[in-house]
Amino acid sequence: MTPPPEWLDEEAGPIVRPYALTRGRAHSSADDMDLIAMVTAVGKIPRDPADIGPEQWRILDITARATSVVDIASELDLALGVVRVLLGDLQDQGLIRVRPPAQVAPLPSERILKEVINGLRAL
């Protein structure tokens, strides 16, 4: 006899496993997407709206204004790996644009840092 499905609590309801959202895929074209890359919806309508799941529609709504990958994951309350797969699908369809994070200035050399520390100690 199979036990009845368990609930996390009375309000949670049934749980959708992350692999169900990605159709069992763990990798996509967005696997190397930086967590702070900015994602923006381009405003195009999908060729076949039935190919877009509710989470992806939500991503398109969220990214009407530029939003980072990590903020999208937080807003959807999904794992980053799942969000990257969903973003990869949207990117492959040309529905989003991903802008990598700006290059940061190179870090100061160890010599300069030591000079600063020595100067602070001398105060």
Side-chain angles (χ1 to χ4, degrees):
M1 186 165 141
T2 308
E6 293 185 30
W7 301 85
L8 289 177
D9 60 35
E10 291 300 317
E11 297 174 6
I15 298 172
V16 176
R17 298 286 183 201
Y19 60 80
L21 299 175
T22 62
R23 299 181 194 130
R25 295 170 297 133
H27 301 287
S28 75
S29 61
D31 281 347
D32 59 346
M33 191 179 291
D34 197 300
L35 297 180
I36 58 173
M38 298 304 287
V39 181
T40 310
V42 297
K44 288 174 44 177
I45 296 178
R47 289 180 293 253
D48 187 2
D51 286 343
I52 304 293
E55 290 78 16
Q56 289 171 312
W57 282 111
R58 187 119 183 264
I59 289 171
L60 292 174
D61 286 340
I62 293 168
T63 59
R65 301 177 86 198
T67 310
S68 70
V69 173
V70 74
D71 287 335
I72 294 168
S74 174
E75 180 75 25
L76 295 175
D77 198 24
L78 291 174
L80 281 166
V82 172
V83 170
R84 281 182 169 153
V85 171
L86 298 174
L87 288 172
D89 293 345
L90 293 172
Q91 187 176 25
D92 293 345
Q93 293 181 39
L95 300 175
I96 60 170
R97 183 176 324 121
V98 180
R99 191 179 75 232
Q103 294 293 325
V104 294
L107 296 174
S109 71
E110 186 177 339
R111 181 188 59 77
I112 292 175
L113 292 174
K114 284 181 179 180
E115 287 179 22
V116 169
I117 290 171
N118 291 334
L120 289 173
R121 284 185 184 148
L123 293 175

